[in-house]
């Protein structure tokens, strides 16, 4: 019944369907609370109530659904905390609790979900640090905790303990420390989004991360040579978006910049400490629609190869640069 305009509460009578295995009610306007009578459906393995207007908390009766493999409650008006009993649903492979107004700490019991592949806790009001056990869920592919008030360091061995990781979303929190070098061994990783935190130190070598499609590290305290970073990304042949702005990167843009992926459409380098000129090889990035590099110390002439960027919609080199048109 997904993708409709149903309103009102989900009837408690749904609990009479004792052989029910799957409920797919996402993208509607159901209100009220999560039906408590779902506890009468012992065979339920899939429950998706994402994107409705549900209120209240996660009812204790959910704990009896021991066969659940997928639980989706994101984008509702739920409240309270994430109950520890969720960790007892050990068959879960997908847990989506984002955008629900949850508060408090992430229960350590979630570390018992040894089959988990997708974990979404983003856009809540969660506090504290991420329980260390969550970094040992070796089956996790999507790790999404952005837009909370979480803090702490990322474990140095995350690249080894999460070998199947494809998406790492930690943006808009209060994380600090260095980005673990072990992530450079994550050959499957496609998205790294850790912007708007307080990470420090050098960027890791991403040469082995050939599946990378998006790298967002803006608004942190990273440093290091921009040329080294660009060179390590030339193996990422599917890279589409690269946001390095608002950090402390230094050095000159290298000629190897032109060897970045032809799929690259979004590139931001602004608000760093870059120097030197813009290499003519930038004209090789024919897919660019956005290129922002203002508020640096760039100088020299803008190369005529810029004219090859036929899809460009935003081009900004101006503030605090000393560039002229060639």
């Amino acid at each position: 019944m997904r993708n409709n305009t149903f309103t009102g509460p989900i009837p408690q009578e749904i609990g009479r369907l004792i052989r029910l295995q799957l409920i797919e009610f996402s993208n509607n306007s159901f209100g009220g609370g999560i039906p408590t009578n779902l506890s009468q459906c012992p065979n339920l393995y899939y429950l998706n109530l994402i994107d409705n207007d549900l209120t209240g908390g996660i009812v204790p009766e959910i704990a009896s659904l021991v066969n659940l493999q997928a639980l989706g409650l994101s984008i509702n008006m739920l409240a309270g905390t994430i109950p520890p009993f969720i960790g007892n649903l050990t068959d879960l492979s997908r847990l989506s609790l984002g955008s629900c107004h949850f508060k408090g700490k992430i229960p350590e019991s979630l570390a018992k979900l040894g089959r988990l592949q997708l974990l979404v806790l983003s856009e809540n009001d969660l506090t504290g640090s991420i329980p260390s056990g969550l970094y040992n869920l070796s089956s996790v592919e999507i790790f999404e905790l952005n837009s909370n008030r979480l803090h702490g360091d990322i474990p140095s061995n995350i690249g080894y303990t999460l070998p199947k990781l494809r998406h790492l979303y930690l943006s808009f929190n209060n994380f600090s420390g260095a980005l673990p070098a072990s992530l450079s061994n994550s050959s499957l990783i496609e998205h790294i989004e850790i912007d708007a935190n307080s990470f420090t130190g050098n960027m890791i070598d991403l040469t082995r991360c050939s599946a990378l499609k998006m790298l967002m590290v803006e608004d942190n305290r990273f440093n290091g040579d921009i040329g080294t970073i660009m060179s390590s990304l030339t193996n990422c042949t599917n890279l589409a978006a690269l946001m390095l702005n608002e950090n402390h990167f230094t050095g000159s843009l290298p000629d190897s910049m032109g060897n970045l992926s032809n799929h690259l459409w979004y590139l931001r380098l602004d608000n760093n400490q870059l120097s030197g000129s813009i290499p003519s090889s930038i004209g090789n990035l024919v897919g660019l629609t956005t290129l922002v590099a203002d508020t640096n110390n760039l100088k020299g002439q803008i190369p005529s190869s810029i004219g090859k960027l036929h899809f460009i919609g935003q081009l900004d080199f101006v503030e605090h640069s000393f560039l002229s048109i060639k």
Side-chain angles (χ1 to χ4, degrees):
M1 293 166 61
R2 63 183 173 185
N3 302 330
N4 281 288
T5 54
F6 290 112
T7 59
I10 299 173
Q12 287 285 346
E13 288 81 359
I14 199 169
R16 297 179 183 175
L17 307 177
I18 60 174
R19 297 182 181 179
L20 199 62
Q21 295 179 320
L22 182 148
I23 296 177
E24 171 60 91
F25 285 176
S26 61
N27 193 19
N28 279 285
S29 296
F30 285 114
I34 300 171
T36 56
N37 278 2
L38 287 177
S39 60
Q40 304 301 313
C41 303
N43 298 317
L44 198 65
Y45 71 87
Y46 185 97
L47 176 59
N48 188 353
L49 306 178
I50 290 176
D51 195 4
N52 280 284
D53 297 320
L54 299 174
T55 57
I58 300 180
V59 294
E61 287 77 7
I62 294 291
S64 65
L65 301 177
V66 294
N67 293 311
L68 270 186
Q69 298 174 24
L71 175 60
L73 300 175
S74 292
I75 317 178
N76 278 288
M77 295 184 289
L78 302 174
T81 60
I82 299 174
F85 65 70
I86 297 292
N88 295 328
L89 303 176
T90 53
D91 279 350
L92 279 179
S93 63
R94 305 177 69 84
L95 177 61
S96 181
L97 304 177
S99 301
C100 284
H101 308 285
F102 290 126
K103 297 183 178 181
K105 295 184 177 182
I106 300 172
E108 294 186 7
S109 61
L110 297 190
K112 296 189 293 183
L113 303 178
R115 300 181 181 180
L116 205 61
Q117 297 174 358
L118 177 145
L119 175 64
V120 178
L121 304 178
S122 55
E123 298 184 23
N124 283 295
D125 192 24
L126 300 174
T127 56
S129 58
I130 298 175
S132 59
L134 292 189
Y135 293 111
N136 292 321
L137 297 175
S138 59
S139 57
V140 164
E141 300 178 16
I142 300 175
F143 197 83
E144 185 172 331
L145 289 90
N146 51 290
S147 298
N148 281 287
R149 291 192 290 146
L150 301 169
H151 63 79
D153 296 352
I154 308 256
S156 60
N157 61 347
I158 184 175
Y160 304 114
T161 59
L162 299 181
K164 297 182 180 180
L165 189 64
R166 293 189 296 114
H167 297 234
L168 177 63
Y169 300 119
L170 299 176
S171 302
F172 295 95
N173 279 287
N174 298 308
F175 293 112
S176 57
L179 190 62
S182 65
L183 271 176
S184 62
N185 295 310
S186 300
S187 59
L188 300 178
I189 200 157
E190 299 176 8
H191 288 200
I192 299 176
E193 298 185 18
I194 57 172
D195 47 307
N197 280 286
S198 298
F199 288 110
T200 58
N202 289 325
M203 271 298 299
I204 61 173
D205 184 349
L206 295 165
T207 306
R208 298 180 184 178
C209 301
S210 56
L212 195 64
K213 297 178 180 178
M214 182 173 291
L215 177 63
M216 294 175 58
V217 301
E218 59 196 290
D219 194 11
N220 278 286
R221 301 172 187 171
F222 288 117
N223 52 49
D225 180 69
I226 193 68
T228 302
I229 297 168
M230 291 287 188
S231 296
S232 77
L233 290 169
T234 55
N235 288 340
C236 304
T237 55
N238 293 310
L239 189 65
L242 176 59
M243 282 152 264
L244 303 175
N245 50 300
E246 298 182 64
N247 281 286
H248 303 299
F249 296 123
T250 57
S252 302
L253 296 173
D255 287 334
S256 62
M257 180 177 181
N259 296 328
L260 293 175
S261 166
N262 286 332
H263 297 286
L264 190 68
W265 63 273
Y266 196 93
L267 175 60
R268 287 194 62 177
L269 303 169
D270 52 290
N271 289 276
N272 280 290
Q273 300 166 23
L274 308 182
S275 57
S277 59
I278 299 168
S280 60
S281 62
I282 197 171
N284 297 338
L285 304 179
V286 293
L288 276 182
T289 64
T290 298
L291 173 58
V292 182
D294 64 282
T295 318
N296 281 290
N297 296 306
L298 299 173
K299 60 184 179 180
Q301 296 179 327
I302 297 177
S304 58
S305 59
I306 286 283
K308 298 179 182 179
L309 307 181
H310 299 299
F311 299 104
I312 204 77
Q314 181 181 1
L315 182 62
D316 191 349
F317 293 128
V318 179
E319 189 175 355
H320 295 185
S321 296
F322 300 91
L323 297 165
S324 60
I325 301 296
K326 183 177 180 180

